[in-house]
Amino acid sequence: MTLLSNNTLASLAGKLPLPAYRLAPQQPGIGIVHLGPGAFFRGHQAYYTDLALQHGGDWAISAVSMRSPDVSQALTPQDGLYTLAVLDSDTRYQVIGSVQEVLIASERYQSVLARLSDAATRYVTLTITEKGYCLNAQGELDLQHPQIQQDLSGGQPAVTAIGLLVAALAARYAKNVAPFCVLSCDNLTDNGHKLRRALIGFAAQKAPALANWLEQQLISPCTMVDSITPATDAALRAQVAGVLGVNDNWPIKREAFVQWVIEDILPAERPAWQQAGVIYAADVSAFEKAKLRLLNAPHSTLAYIGYLLGYETVYDAMQDKTLLNLLQQMVQQEIMPSFTAPAELDIQQYSQAIFARFENPAIRHLLAQIAWDGSQKMPMRILPVIRDNLAAGRSISKLSFCLAAWFLFIRRRLAEGQPLVDPLASSLTAAASTCRGEAQHDVARFLAIEAVFGTELPKQDTFSQAVTAAYQQLTTLVSEQPVARGVV
Ligand code: CS2
């Protein structure tokens, strides 16, 4: 069967919506570089930019992977085209055309630098996951990070997104070309400001004049991004081939819900993202807190406890009424009181809609995938709520179940001989190796990991006692599995 590509695109007319701008004689030029062309990017930012391109403008995307060749190998033969399947009460398919090229920085470094330093490139968006920013527990660039050290030593190609972007910005500075606008599209608190400080901090180590220039000119809005995008599987590839009549090496699936909120500080010259449904806000922080705390915090809690109870997917775990009850108590009693939601958001409806999204039977979202990178996710979605609640004298007993379940998940994965997908896997494994099934002892081993918990939080007895109590309860519960009862 032939492949989806520029050559076969026109033949698909009438079968599903196509990117008309990819069928026109004059193709849009590249105006955006995206770092981290994973499934979320292709279901979210690339989708919005595909809609925006229907309003014109040279806003095609050059997608760049730092090292992994997979996406480039899949999409280059397809001229960047791929299918998006939106799984709702029915499944809606469309071809996304906003990605014009997929480059691998470690293999085509000079081409990537040239694309980034080209004046036509006015935006760089990033989905490099929390670990990609190389931040410490305080949210600042970790100058001792081995890969940051490697990039600061001047080695080429740069192995971090931060090193690559500063190299490109330095090239623009040398050519007197304005910096591109950078948009972090990852689940970090205060993502735009942290990215900006990381870039300027790195530059300051290399060239103070460059750092000053960036201090004056670099625009890095905060954003909030949201859509549940499970990994592609063979079933989706077969469904798409059946609809299109041609093969698509890497189609993407996601839920119908999609949202992108961007701090309204972009230059006037921008893709038609607003016409595509992007929300511009003067202050993104309330949207970010609502999403990280009302979606991602229960997501992680469900993932770790659900995995320990033997469930495989979010949908499966949501059928466990005891577990669902814990999530609802955590949200209502400990998370909602922790922040002020955006004025236009009905927080109860927003939270109910999130739980309904978790129960979408069409979405097969693996708990083990959500469980990845816990050392990077807990500081963004659980610890800020715990810190706020401790400061205000509010309960943290339900929130503590997420951390306790994470610790037990780590021990379970290691006992199963399963990989621990986490940049701090060695530290987590070391802590787990000293555990002996005694709650207070085991919890102390994990809380001693400073890169995750810092130095102050573990000193607070209220915190360590709450996590210890949760760890004890879960240990008892899990030993009695699969009867998932009595967790609260
Ligand atoms: C999930 C997120 O894998 C995870 O950590 O919680 O990817 C979640 O699906 C998205 O943030 C939803 O917008």
Side-chain angles (χ1 to χ4, degrees):
M1 192 183 275
T2 54
L3 264 187
L4 170 62
S5 72
N6 285 337
N7 295 331
T8 57
L9 185 62
S11 69
L12 305 181
K15 292 184 178 178
L16 76 167
L18 304 178
Y21 56 88
R22 288 293 293 265
L23 293 166
Q26 180 64 37
Q27 296 286 300
I30 289 175
I32 302 168
V33 170
H34 180 81
L35 301 189
F40 182 79
F41 154 70
R42 279 181 275 141
H44 185 275
Q45 294 97 9
Y47 156 80
Y48 276 105
T49 304
D50 180 73
L51 284 175
L53 280 165
Q54 293 170 26
H55 298 268
D58 290 319
W59 300 113
I61 299 170
S62 170
V64 173
S65 168
M66 292 304 293
R67 276 169 297 285
S68 167
D70 300 352
V71 178
S72 180
Q73 287 169 353
L75 296 191
T76 299
Q78 299 183 183
D79 303 307
L81 296 165
Y82 62 91
T83 312
L84 172 64
V86 177
L87 310 181
D88 202 1
S89 49
D90 60 349
T91 300
R92 301 190 301 277
Y93 299 92
Q94 67 184 92
V95 173
I96 299 293
S98 51
V99 176
Q100 284 278 9
E101 65 181 17
V102 186
L103 304 177
I104 308 163
S106 60
E107 294 179 13
R108 296 190 55 195
Y109 191 61
Q110 294 310 319
S111 302
V112 169
L113 272 185
R115 182 63 77 193
L116 281 165
S117 58
D118 185 331
T121 299
R122 285 145 292 170
Y123 289 88
V124 172
T125 54
L126 298 87
T127 50
I128 54 176
T129 77
E130 297 90 338
K131 60 180 175 288
Y133 296 83
C134 306
L135 304 179
N136 58 26
Q138 291 70 44
E140 302 297 331
L141 181 65
D142 179 1
L143 293 173
Q144 303 314 312
H145 189 291
Q147 291 182 326
I148 290 294
Q149 284 278 311
Q150 181 175 339
D151 284 352
L152 284 173
S153 69
Q156 284 203 356
V159 295
T160 66
I162 301 297
L164 170 62
L165 291 181
V166 172
L169 288 163
R172 294 174 81 104
Y173 177 56
K175 296 192 295 184
N176 199 25
V177 171
F180 37 66
C181 177
V182 288
L183 284 84
S184 167
C185 297
D186 283 295
N187 289 321
L188 298 185
T189 53
D190 210 24
N191 57 12
H193 301 152
K194 284 178 179 171
L195 172 58
R196 190 175 190 276
R197 287 199 301 271
L199 293 169
I200 292 171
F202 186 100
Q205 298 293 313
K206 306 272 290 182
L210 174 63
N212 290 335
W213 181 68
L214 294 176
E215 193 68 65
Q216 301 305 317
Q217 298 208 22
L218 182 65
I219 297 172
S220 175
C222 287
T223 75
M224 185 277 272
V225 294
D226 189 2
S227 189
I228 293 175
T229 311
T232 295
D233 51 24
L236 178 67
R237 285 190 176 86
Q239 287 156 1
V240 166
V243 170
L244 274 61
V246 297
N247 271 331
D248 180 345
N249 290 327
W250 205 329
I252 296 296
K253 59 180 173 179
R254 69 158 163 81
E255 63 172 334
F257 182 92
V258 65
Q259 188 173 44
W260 194 4
V261 182
I262 300 176
E263 187 180 0
D264 195 5
I265 57 171
L266 296 192
E269 194 188 25
R270 63 182 73 172
W273 280 329
Q274 189 155 27
Q275 292 90 314
V278 167
I279 299 166
Y280 286 102
D283 178 358
V284 176
S285 62
F287 290 95
E288 166 210 293
K289 281 197 172 86
K291 196 272 180 164
L292 278 173
R293 298 187 180 198
L294 293 177
L295 187 149
N296 294 113
H299 227 193
S300 286
T301 307
L302 190 75
Y304 294 125
I305 300 179
Y307 185 93
L308 293 171
L309 294 178
Y311 299 114
E312 190 183 17
T313 67
V314 168
Y315 177 80
D316 298 340
M318 288 294 285
Q319 307 317 303
D320 184 310
K321 297 312 170 200
T322 303
L323 183 44
L324 180 58
N325 183 43
L326 168 65
L327 291 187
Q328 285 168 339
Q329 286 183 22
M330 181 175 79
V331 164
Q332 294 293 331
Q333 297 168 11
E334 299 183 1
I335 294 180
M336 283 186 175
S338 75
F339 72 103
T340 302
E344 60 267 45
L345 197 68
D346 178 322
I347 199 168
Q348 291 294 345
Q349 281 183 5
Y350 180 72
S351 179
Q352 285 162 19
I354 286 170
F355 278 54
R357 290 165 60 191
F358 286 177
E359 292 211 71
N360 182 344
I363 293 282
R364 191 170 182 282
H365 202 176
L366 297 176
L367 299 177
Q369 180 190 348
I370 298 167
W372 291 348
D373 297 344
S375 70
Q376 312 297 304
K377 295 178 179 178
M378 293 304 103
M380 296 297 154
R381 50 184 75 176
I382 294 290
L383 296 186
V385 193
I386 285 179
R387 287 191 174 96
D388 287 351
N389 283 10
L390 286 172
R394 288 188 296 264
S395 164
I396 61 166
S397 63
K398 305 298 186 299
L399 288 156
S400 298
F401 274 92
C402 185
L403 296 176
W406 178 41
F407 301 160
L408 288 166
F409 164 82
I410 292 164
R411 295 185 61 202
R412 170 72 66 81
R413 290 289 285 186
L414 295 170
E416 293 169 346
Q418 296 279 2
L420 207 47
V421 180
D422 194 298
L424 298 188
S426 56
S427 302
L428 300 173
T429 301
S433 66
T434 62
C435 288
R436 55 189 188 222
E438 295 165 22
Q440 187 170 359
H441 168 272
D442 294 0
V443 166
R445 302 280 74 74
F446 286 104
L447 295 188
I449 301 174
E450 199 173 310
V452 177
F453 297 100
T455 53
E456 293 313 305
L457 193 53
K459 291 176 185 171
Q460 297 191 46
D461 291 344
T462 307
F463 172 64
S464 54
Q465 288 164 6
V467 181
T468 300
Y471 188 96
Q472 185 59 62
Q473 282 193 67
L474 280 174
T475 303
T476 305
L477 166 76
V478 170
S479 63
E480 295 165 352
Q481 71 165 337
V483 179
R485 298 289 174 269
V487 78
V488 285

